[in-house]
Amino acid sequence: MSKDAPAVPSTAELAELQQRCAAQERRLRLLDEQVRLLDRERQKLAAIVSSADVGFVLFDNHLRAEWCNGHAARMLDDARHAGEIQQRRCHELICGEAEPCGICPVRRASTQRSVAHDERRLQIGETQRDLYVTAMPLTSVGGDVQQI
């Protein structure tokens, strides 16, 4: 036998490799099932959020709007669509102010890492709107606030 020839695994080594392979295949099937379940749940949540008669706005940790549903866009500014609200800061959208307000619920939720509530009255065009704001920090696995 040549020194360069690969070693032939023993029957026990082959059996162990087959068991490992079977275990990995079971894990992959389980992960695939979990991904499919999560996708179905994501689709349900997306349907609820998009059709709810409640406005949702997602802010980044710099207090800029990243996303909102259509109801929030209509409630915050009749002349805008959801895509036009992105990148506007919370004090512009919620408070109608040019500068951050001192009692900003979005900022409080971010800095205190807890849910913050506030009631606001907005003048949008000629319409006055009452808002009940609930700001909730969304954290990473490490606990850092990523979105509000």
Side-chain angles (χ1 to χ4, degrees):
M1 191 184 260
S2 167
K3 290 183 181 182
D4 295 335
V8 177
S10 68
T11 304
E13 290 173 322
L14 283 174
E16 182 183 345
L17 286 172
Q18 287 174 331
Q19 287 176 345
R20 286 183 184 177
C21 185
Q24 291 297 335
E25 286 177 0
R26 284 191 299 276
R27 285 188 192 111
L28 286 174
R29 279 194 298 276
L30 177 62
L31 286 173
D32 186 52
E33 289 172 16
Q34 290 174 340
V35 166
R36 289 177 194 207
L37 176 64
L38 286 172
D39 188 52
R40 284 194 301 271
E41 295 302 313
R42 182 196 57 76
Q43 289 175 7
K44 288 178 194 175
L45 181 59
I48 291 168
V49 168
S50 66
S51 64
D53 196 20
V54 175
F56 292 96
V57 182
L58 184 64
F59 293 97
D60 66 14
N61 57 3
H62 299 290
L63 310 180
R64 285 186 304 261
E66 290 187 338
W67 174 88
C68 72
N69 67 347
H71 188 78
R74 289 185 300 277
M75 185 172 51
L76 292 170
D77 193 335
D78 290 329
R80 295 185 184 272
H81 300 285
E84 295 176 16
I85 286 181
Q86 292 178 358
Q87 299 303 311
R88 290 180 64 197
R89 295 191 179 270
C90 67
H91 55 272
E92 297 169 336
L93 289 173
I94 296 172
C95 303
E97 301 291 334
E99 297 296 323
C101 56
I103 58 170
C104 176
V106 177
R107 179 175 283 162
R108 271 196 336 260
S110 178
T111 58
Q112 296 175 1
R113 291 177 158 59
S114 63
V115 177
H117 304 281
D118 199 12
E119 292 183 39
R120 298 293 171 116
R121 179 163 282 175
L122 280 181
Q123 185 74 31
I124 299 175
E126 296 190 16
T127 306
Q128 209 170 46
R129 302 196 186 223
D130 293 317
L131 301 179
Y132 183 74
V133 178
T134 298
M136 181 184 325
L138 303 176
T139 59
S140 68
V141 175
D144 298 323
V145 174
Q146 294 184 322
Q147 296 171 315
I148 304 99

